[in-house]
Amino acid sequence: KVVEVEKLKDALYLLKGGGGNTALFLTASGAVVVDTKLPGWGQPLLDAIRKVTDKPVTMVINTHTHYDHTNGQVEFPASVEVVAHANTKTYMEQSNPVYALQSGP
């Protein structure tokens, strides 16, 4: 599985392949990933991110519940903060509990 990395701006990248497009934004405290692709693409995403930065992934943002945008998330470390609209969280929990978001603080 190959993730193609395209630099858009200094701290903004587009990661293509494996379902929906993924955005990578580098911040002072770590990497923010927007959407995590199809099942089985989480590790290839993490590998591609490591080639761009040595910063840890600190946040995943889920834009919506489609599996080609969210299911790679299960391969990310449990310490990563997950951000999504409340309805997205609910739909993810209803569609497949394996990919459900943990409740935040």
Side-chain angles (χ1 to χ4, degrees):
K1 297 178 180 177
V2 176
V3 175
E4 185 181 331
V5 178
E6 180 181 340
K7 185 174 184 176
L8 302 176
K9 298 256 181 197
D10 283 340
L12 181 62
Y13 297 81
L14 174 62
L15 307 176
K16 297 186 260 184
N21 287 327
T22 297
L24 172 66
F25 183 66
L26 304 179
T27 70
S29 60
V32 176
V33 176
V34 180
D35 291 340
T36 58
K37 303 191 181 296
L38 290 165
W41 281 84
Q43 191 58 54
L45 268 177
L46 289 166
D47 294 343
I49 291 166
R50 275 193 216 107
K51 291 177 183 176
V52 172
T53 183
D54 58 357
K55 294 181 179 190
V57 175
T58 56
M59 181 182 292
V60 167
I61 299 172
N62 290 312
T63 59
H64 63 289
T65 59
H66 290 165
Y67 70 97
D68 63 329
H69 290 260
T70 60
N71 284 0
Q73 178 178 312
V74 298
E75 297 178 53
F76 281 67
S79 61
V80 172
E81 179 182 7
V82 178
V83 176
H85 187 279
N87 289 341
T88 298
K89 177 183 184 292
T90 299
Y91 296 142
M92 287 177 74
E93 289 171 339
Q94 290 171 352
S95 66
N96 190 340
V98 173
Y99 303 112
L101 302 174
Q102 295 181 3
S103 297

